[in-house]
Amino acid sequence: MAVAIESTEYMSFDISENQKMITDMIRDFAEAEIKPNMMEWDEAQIFPVPLFRKMGDLGLMGVLVPEVYGGSGFGYAEYVTAISEIAKVDGSIGLSVAAHNSLCTGHILQFANEAQKQKYLPKLASGQWIGAWGLTEPNTGSDAGNMRTVAKQEGDYYIINGAKNFITHGKSGDVAVVIVRTGVVGDSHGMTAFIIEKGTPGFSAGKKENKLGMRASETAELIFTDCKVHKDQIIGEVGDGFVQSLKVLDGGRISIAALSLGIAQGAYEAALLYSKERHQFNKPISSFQGISFKLADMATKVEAARLLTFRAADLKNRGKSVNLESAMAKLYASEIAVEVANDAVQIFGGYGYTKDFPVEKFYRDAKLCTIGEGTSEIQKLVISRAVLK
Ligand SMILES: Cc1cc2nc3c(=O)[nH]c(=O)nc-3n(C[C@H](O)[C@H](O)[C@H](O)COP(=O)(O)OP(=O)(O)OC[C@H]3O[C@@H](n4cnc5c(N)ncnc54)[C@H](O)[C@@H]3O)c2cc1C
């Protein structure tokens, strides 16, 4: 049976002037600011905060935020272009930009009240503040709705106790949107989203993770010990936090699809170039069918991932539900990013296994994309529920 997917009759395959401008701007920026430093950041796991301030000046920290709140006011096509162009060079910087834009900033943009938007969006969109978003806990990742971090009401305040882990910008974030339990376990309306600023008593960062890839993107624990937060910091209504999160993740998955697409494209381009330059048996290795067919498969996968990702972006721009389409884009793009990066390392041979060439990093970074913002198995749950409906 065919899956009931939204029509793409309005989808344009043309690259807009804005997309061209974003592509050129990021290429220049990456050449000057990211490429010369990225291996040092990767080796030492440095999260380069000043770089994010500079990206704020370029409008990359509030891509989807309307201009009235200090953002760039772009749509999802421009957003996907921005994330994939950054990830083509460095996946970990792409991941951090994606998490800042679509999780923390995206949650406030979609669900916060006007006063909260005016207070937080200009700081986030300018890159003056870096945002974090906390849903995952040590014992509840895929099963996030089973979370145990609790907020208990005391008058106009809530007292929060518990911990969130694997949080992007858990240490360096200036503000976090955190989803915690305010009702009973098992009730999807028993969770509430709070905006919590760094420095709030009882709110601290814990362990920073030492990771396989995405090493310049900071991942750390958030700890709450009798953390007292005013009820004005609640986003939307008490009990809406988990439902809001699922909607935020629908958009977030387009981000991770874009991130995957950029990593796959970067690995493919590096392998294509190398295959023409590297000679064995007095011929460029691209002349061997074993290599050229690999390149054909890589190019086809990258194009298919691009189409799925931009289709989800197009639907999101038109205000349509993207639950199914963003899951498909995220599942496919992340899985092929791992495959394409693996093939790229193979095409580079022994040199691909060294840190002198970029493909080993694409290979390490790509793997996160099949895990973060819902594993591939969870995307298949979402897709299968939709096709079996
Ligand atoms: C670098 C990085 C950055 C992250 N950033 C953030 C962030 O900013 N904010 C945040 O809230 N979280 C963040 N996360 C957490 C991330 O979203 C979770 O790691 C992810 O959702 C998986 O949860 P888990 O790690 O607990 O794995 P688990 O849920 O324990 O899953 C383990 C395995 O079991 C499988 N599995 C689980 N349930 C099912 C099922 N029903 N059917 C089939 N298979 C299943 C999974 O697919 C996986 O293969 C980040 C993680 C990483 C690694």
Side-chain angles (χ1 to χ4, degrees), residues 113-244:
N113 62 35
E114 192 51 37
Q116 291 167 334
K117 285 184 187 175
Q118 285 187 13
K119 182 170 179 192
Y120 293 107
L121 289 178
K123 290 193 175 91
L124 289 163
S126 63
Q128 190 188 337
W129 279 18
I130 290 173
W133 189 78
L135 178 69
T136 306
E137 295 184 2
N139 294 316
T140 54
S142 302
D143 187 15
N146 209 5
M147 66 179 65
R148 299 303 154 118
T149 298
V150 169
K152 288 223 159 70
Q153 191 170 8
E154 280 186 10
D156 283 346
Y157 289 85
Y158 281 79
I159 310 297
I160 304 178
N161 279 290
K164 297 280 170 186
N165 80 331
F166 292 143
I167 307 307
T168 304
H169 315 145
K171 271 183 183 303
S172 302
D174 300 282
V175 64
V177 170
V178 181
I179 301 90
V180 301
R181 179 159 301 290
T182 45
V184 295
V185 174
D187 178 6
S188 61
H189 292 279
M191 290 157 274
T192 302
F194 288 83
I195 306 176
I196 308 181
E197 294 180 23
K198 192 176 195 166
T200 302
F203 175 45
S204 59
K207 179 183 160 230
K208 176 177 166 174
E209 303 297 342
N210 183 5
K211 306 195 299 293
L212 167 73
M214 300 294 197
R215 288 169 60 81
S217 177
E218 178 188 271
T219 314
E221 224 178 350
L222 296 179
I223 298 170
F224 304 90
T225 313
D226 291 332
C227 173
K228 192 173 171 185
V229 182
H230 195 271
K231 65 178 170 42
D232 286 352
Q233 296 302 96
I234 289 173
I235 301 181
E237 300 297 322
V238 171
D240 282 354
F242 188 62
V243 178
Q244 291 170 0

